[in-house]
C-alpha cells in the first residue's frame, strides 16, 4: 500500500510541477532538503496545535459538567477534520523525502517495527 502512495505522490509532484530543482546540484539538493524539513516541522507543529485545541476544549467541556471521557471525546470530534488534514500534510512531506532518498517506506517501517520488537522487552 505504501508503494502505491509513494508512486501516487511522484505522479502528483510531476502533474503539479513540484519537482523542478536540479537533482545534480549540491546547492539545489541542500536547499530542497532544508525547505522540506521546514515544511515538515511546520506541519508537525500544526498537529501539536490541534492537540492543544483539543485539550483546551476538553477543559471547557469539563467545566460545563461533562465527564472527562465525554469531554475528551467531544473535543476529539471537534478537531477530527483539521487534525486529519495536518496528518496528511505530514505524510505528504514524509513521502516526498522517502522518494527523494529512494526508500521503500513500507519496507523501512516493517523493518523498524521488527527492530523494536527484537530490542524491547514485553511487559
Amino acid at each position: 500500500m505504501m508503494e502505491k502512495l509513494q508512486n501516487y505522490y511522484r505522479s502528483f509532484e510531476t502533474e503539479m510541477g513540484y519537482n523542478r530543482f536540479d537533482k545534480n546540484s549540491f546547492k539545489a539538493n541542500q536547499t530542497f532538503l532544508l525547505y522540506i524539513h521546514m515544511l515538515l516541522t511546520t506541519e508537525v507543529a500544526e498537529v501539536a496545535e490541534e492537540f492543544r485545541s483539543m485539550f483546551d476544549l476538553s477543559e471547557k467541556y469539563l467545566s460545563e459538567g461533562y465527564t472527562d471521557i465525554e469531554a475528551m471525546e467531544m473535543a476529539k470530534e471537534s478537531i477530527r477534520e483539521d487534525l486529519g488534514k495536518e496528518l496528511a500534510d505530514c505524510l505528504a512531506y514524509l513521502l516526498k523525502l522517502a522518494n527523494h532518498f529512494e526508500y521503500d517506506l513500507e519496507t523501512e517501517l516493517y523493518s523498524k517495527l521488527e527492530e523494536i520488537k527484537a530490542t524491547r522487552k514485553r511487559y
Side-chain angles (χ1 to χ4, degrees):
M1 175 162 150
M2 192 63 70
E3 181 182 0
K4 184 178 176 181
L5 283 174
Q6 284 185 250
N7 287 334
Y8 180 84
Y9 195 79
R10 277 186 202 98
S11 296
F12 171 79
E13 285 185 309
T14 300
E15 179 183 332
M16 300 300 290
Y18 289 169
N19 247 351
R20 294 185 182 167
F21 76 98
D22 181 0
K23 293 178 181 175
N24 296 315
S25 161
F26 173 78
K27 185 70 175 165
N29 275 275
Q30 188 178 43
T31 301
F32 165 81
L33 291 172
L34 179 60
Y35 183 64
I36 296 306
H37 175 265
M38 289 187 309
L39 291 171
L40 177 59
T41 302
T42 299
E43 295 305 334
V44 170
E46 289 177 6
V47 168
E49 212 29 54
E50 290 302 324
F51 290 160
R52 185 193 57 75
S53 294
M54 183 181 70
F55 294 138
D56 288 349
L57 277 171
S58 294
E59 290 298 321
K60 176 183 175 281
Y61 294 141
L62 279 170
S63 73
E64 293 173 358
Y66 292 96
T67 68
D68 56 350
I69 298 298
E70 290 170 331
M72 181 62 79
E73 287 303 314
M74 290 168 55
K76 240 171 78 174
E77 188 55 38
S78 73
I79 68 158
R80 184 172 176 72
E81 183 178 338
D82 289 338
L83 179 60
K85 290 177 183 179
E86 300 307 340
L87 292 172
D89 286 340
C90 291
L91 180 57
Y93 292 123
L94 290 172
L95 291 170
K96 188 173 189 73
L97 286 170
N99 288 346
H100 179 76
F101 286 100
E102 299 178 4
Y103 285 115
D104 173 341
L105 203 50
E106 186 170 357
T107 299
E108 294 297 326
L109 177 60
Y110 286 132
S111 176
K112 183 61 182 179
L113 295 177
E114 289 304 315
E115 177 186 323
I116 290 169
K117 280 184 192 178
T119 59
R120 301 285 196 282
K121 291 182 181 179
R122 291 188 177 180
Y123 296 99

